[in-house]
Amino acid sequence: MKNYKLNSENLSSISERIAIPQYDRTKIKTGIVHVGIGGFHRSHEAFYTDQLLHDTSITDWGICGIALLNFDTRIYNTLKEQNGLYTLVVKELDGKHTNRVIGSIVEYLYAPENPNAVVEKMASPEVKIISLTITEGGYNYNEATKAFDFGNPLIQDDLEHPEAPKTIFGYLTQALKLRKERGLNGVTIQSCDNIQGNGHMTKTMLLSYVGKAEPSLVAWIESNVSFPNAMVDRITPATAPSDILNLIKTTGVHDAWPVVCEPFKQWVIEDDFIAGRPAWETVGAQFVENVEPYEKMKLSLLNAGHSVLGILGALLGYSTIDEAVNNPNISAFLNNYMDTEVTPTLGDLDGINLKDYKHSLLERFGNVNIKDQIDRICSESSAKFPIFVLPTVNAQLKGNGSIELAAFIVAAWAIYSLGNDENGKALVIKDAMELQLNEKAKMAVNNPEVFLEIESVFGQLKNDDFFVIEYTNAYKNIVAHGIEKSVVTINSNVLNEI
């Protein structure tokens, strides 16, 4: 079987081996600028949009992908060499792989190389939506102050050199300024990140920055820019070299960076698009008036569940999430955490069978074909814990509920931050706060409470005596008995309480 590199020229040659776009990509105009063209965007929004474009009457919702940061060079070069094309590999529960070439990314720009080109594209009259997957930490929110972090050196650089922005806030400000000056229509800024009220967060953080960078622009943004909330969901692990080789072996298609994902997908969006929107509902998205119940459920159960499995699994020496959840003691711990501590905080979820949803999460986590790397899940935990885990803690404390399992999770994270698993093997820790976390973790060996002093993560939680006691007890138990024995004890305690 002859091998073909994935690009526009070779599409017809591979069409009998793999599903390809059945629309003329040369006729597609850019209506969406997306910042952060990593795996999740390509398995989610770009996939939905690709499916939509198969209605050949729709030609104005192509995507321009923006590689914002210096380390995005590889993905930019890959998309450039492949004319924006990539393969989406869906790994089914039965082990089958469904391969499809996605064609919705019709333009691509590398921001560090040409900041002005990115600003001009965002300000283009044909662009109606600027969407974002910039990770939880990309919103520059300080948990301690509950405000925008103006102390960030990159933010300070953008304020001093607005003509050469480095952050999303600098780029958006310059683009919206051009739209205002040119008398153009407004635009929708759509977050696709795992943050509750992600639209509200985007608006609040952007207006905080604009209030200092371009104060006269605030009123225009208030009137001409919308920020819909959304809940997004599709497990998308990092692409492994074996995924690339397997694609070549089974299809003869050489894709330098295919995207692998699970079959499940969900996108619930607040219908608030000031300049029009694609009819994503025709390809499976759901538009609603209020996204909050959906996103709160997902962040507190799926995303927190991932972090639980990641931290505990890492300490036990596991490499992938399915290994962790297929440990019956860890699975029981996660199930108990979801039932006894998260569920009471969720309130009324009209139309959602919560029991079935939680059961489906354990099945999805256990998909042995996905092989989601634990170090990916644990990356940037300092940005994830305040969003995924601590809201449950605070809600339970407010309602005098149980926080024993959540305190255990935080204690495990403190021990994880020392940098070694229980076998003494070094952990791969990827976190913007890695040095500070490690410093506090070392101090916590003799005084566990010290780890809670990281205010940008924990806020004032160090002052809650009940939580501190539960956390300290959990820390000491883990040190004395290890993760698994400690988990067994907690599971037994929960069972006895029931």
Side-chain angles (χ1 to χ4, degrees), residues 11-31:
L11 269 183
S12 60
S13 299
I14 64 175
S15 60
E16 293 184 2
R17 307 177 183 183
I18 191 170
I20 65 170
Q22 299 298 311
Y23 51 89
D24 186 349
R25 296 178 73 235
T26 64
K27 295 181 178 179
I28 304 299
K29 293 179 284 188
T30 296

Side-chain angles (χ1 to χ4, degrees), residues 161-443:
H161 307 285
E163 74 289 347
K166 291 184 171 62
T167 74
I168 184 60
F169 302 101
Y171 278 101
L172 289 174
T173 299
Q174 293 306 305
L176 296 176
K177 181 181 178 183
L178 283 184
R179 281 183 173 267
K180 178 188 175 186
E181 291 174 351
R182 294 171 180 175
L184 300 175
N185 291 332
V187 68
T188 294
I189 299 177
Q190 180 181 24
S191 171
C192 299
D193 281 302
N194 289 314
I195 297 174
Q196 188 169 352
N198 54 15
H200 296 325
M201 172 68 80
T202 306
K203 181 177 181 179
T204 301
M205 295 299 100
L206 178 61
L207 288 180
S208 294
Y209 177 83
V210 172
K212 182 170 286 191
E214 292 285 346
S216 62
L217 189 58
V218 170
W220 187 88
I221 292 175
E222 292 274 15
S223 300
N224 294 278
V225 182
S226 62
F227 300 83
N229 294 307
M231 183 267 267
V232 296
D233 191 2
R234 192 170 212 178
I235 295 173
T236 308
T239 302
S242 58
D243 294 315
I244 298 172
L245 293 174
N246 187 62
L247 187 64
I248 295 173
K249 180 180 178 181
T250 57
T251 68
V253 175
H254 183 199
D255 183 340
W257 202 329
V259 177
V260 297
C261 65
E262 65 170 336
F264 181 91
K265 63 185 183 301
Q266 190 173 19
W267 197 7
V268 183
I269 315 167
E270 181 183 6
D271 202 352
D272 181 22
F273 289 74
I274 199 165
R277 63 167 177 80
W280 282 312
E281 69 272 23
T282 64
V283 289
Q286 182 180 359
F287 285 92
V288 299
E289 290 186 9
N290 182 17
V291 174
E292 183 177 356
Y294 301 91
E295 59 188 4
K296 185 176 182 181
M297 174 190 73
K298 189 254 181 176
L299 295 173
S300 301
L301 293 172
L302 182 141
N303 295 107
H306 253 152
S307 290
V308 170
L309 295 173
I311 296 296
L312 302 189
L315 288 172
L316 287 170
Y318 295 139
S319 298
T320 60
I321 290 296
D322 62 288
E323 290 179 302
V325 79
N326 287 318
N327 176 320
N329 295 320
I330 302 301
S331 179
F333 176 90
L334 176 56
N335 195 61
N336 287 330
Y337 170 68
M338 293 193 295
D339 284 348
T340 64
E341 298 188 8
V342 179
T343 297
T345 72
L346 296 180
D348 183 25
L349 291 165
D350 186 36
I352 295 175
N353 187 317
L354 201 52
K355 182 179 179 180
D356 287 350
Y357 180 77
K358 289 184 286 189
H359 178 72
S360 75
L361 291 183
L362 294 174
E363 284 191 337
R364 293 167 62 195
F365 292 149
N367 186 340
V368 297
N369 302 299
I370 289 293
K371 295 298 176 191
D372 207 353
Q373 294 295 313
I374 277 178
D375 59 5
R376 183 189 81 87
I377 293 299
C378 293
S379 68
E380 305 302 336
S381 286
S382 63
K384 293 175 179 178
F385 263 69
I387 297 168
F388 302 159
V389 177
L390 299 187
T392 294
V393 172
N394 292 326
Q396 285 290 84
L397 288 172
K398 186 175 181 180
N400 296 316
S402 168
I403 47 91
E404 180 184 10
L405 289 90
F408 183 92
I409 297 162
V410 175
W413 181 34
I415 293 168
Y416 165 92
S417 297
L418 287 168
N420 293 289
D421 67 18
E422 292 187 339
N423 301 313
K425 182 180 178 181
L427 295 167
V428 178
I429 296 180
K430 305 171 185 175
D431 199 298
M433 295 181 62
E434 179 184 354
L435 295 179
Q436 185 179 357
L437 291 167
N438 183 253
E439 178 186 357
K440 290 293 186 181
K442 289 178 179 176
M443 296 169 67

Side-chain angles (χ1 to χ4, degrees), residues 136-177:
E136 297 80 15
Y139 291 81
N140 203 49
Y141 175 74
N142 186 301
E143 180 67 23
T145 63
K146 308 294 183 184
F148 191 84
D149 181 10
F150 282 103
N152 182 336
L154 293 177
I155 295 297
Q156 294 175 354
D157 190 86
D158 277 5
L159 290 170
E160 294 172 7
H161 307 285
E163 74 289 347
K166 291 184 171 62
T167 74
I168 184 60
F169 302 101
Y171 278 101
L172 289 174
T173 299
Q174 293 306 305
L176 296 176
K177 181 181 178 183

Side-chain angles (χ1 to χ4, degrees), residues 45-149:
E45 181 184 354
F47 167 77
Y48 278 94
T49 304
D50 174 82
Q51 300 306 289
L52 183 70
L53 293 175
H54 279 82
D55 178 344
T56 54
S57 67
I58 298 172
T59 59
D60 52 357
W61 290 114
I63 298 171
C64 174
I66 305 296
L68 187 70
L69 306 174
N70 289 322
F71 62 71
D72 291 330
T73 304
R74 182 186 162 211
I75 183 58
Y76 167 73
N77 287 335
T78 299
L79 287 175
K80 184 178 180 182
E81 291 168 7
Q82 297 183 175
N83 307 118
L85 298 168
Y86 62 93
T87 310
L88 187 66
V89 180
V90 180
K91 296 188 174 182
E92 310 287 348
L93 283 168
D94 63 3
K96 179 183 176 183
H97 290 185
T98 304
N99 306 312
R100 174 180 296 279
V101 176
I102 305 298
S104 53
I105 299 177
V106 294
E107 291 185 83
Y108 21 86
L109 294 171
Y110 181 53
E113 182 179 75
N114 194 341
N116 187 61
V118 173
V119 171
E120 286 289 344
K121 177 54 67 174
M122 289 179 170
S124 169
E126 68 180 8
V127 170
K128 308 295 192 300
I129 297 170
I130 300 172
S131 55
L132 314 172
T133 47
I134 55 175
T135 77
E136 297 80 15
Y139 291 81
N140 203 49
Y141 175 74
N142 186 301
E143 180 67 23
T145 63
K146 308 294 183 184
F148 191 84
D149 181 10

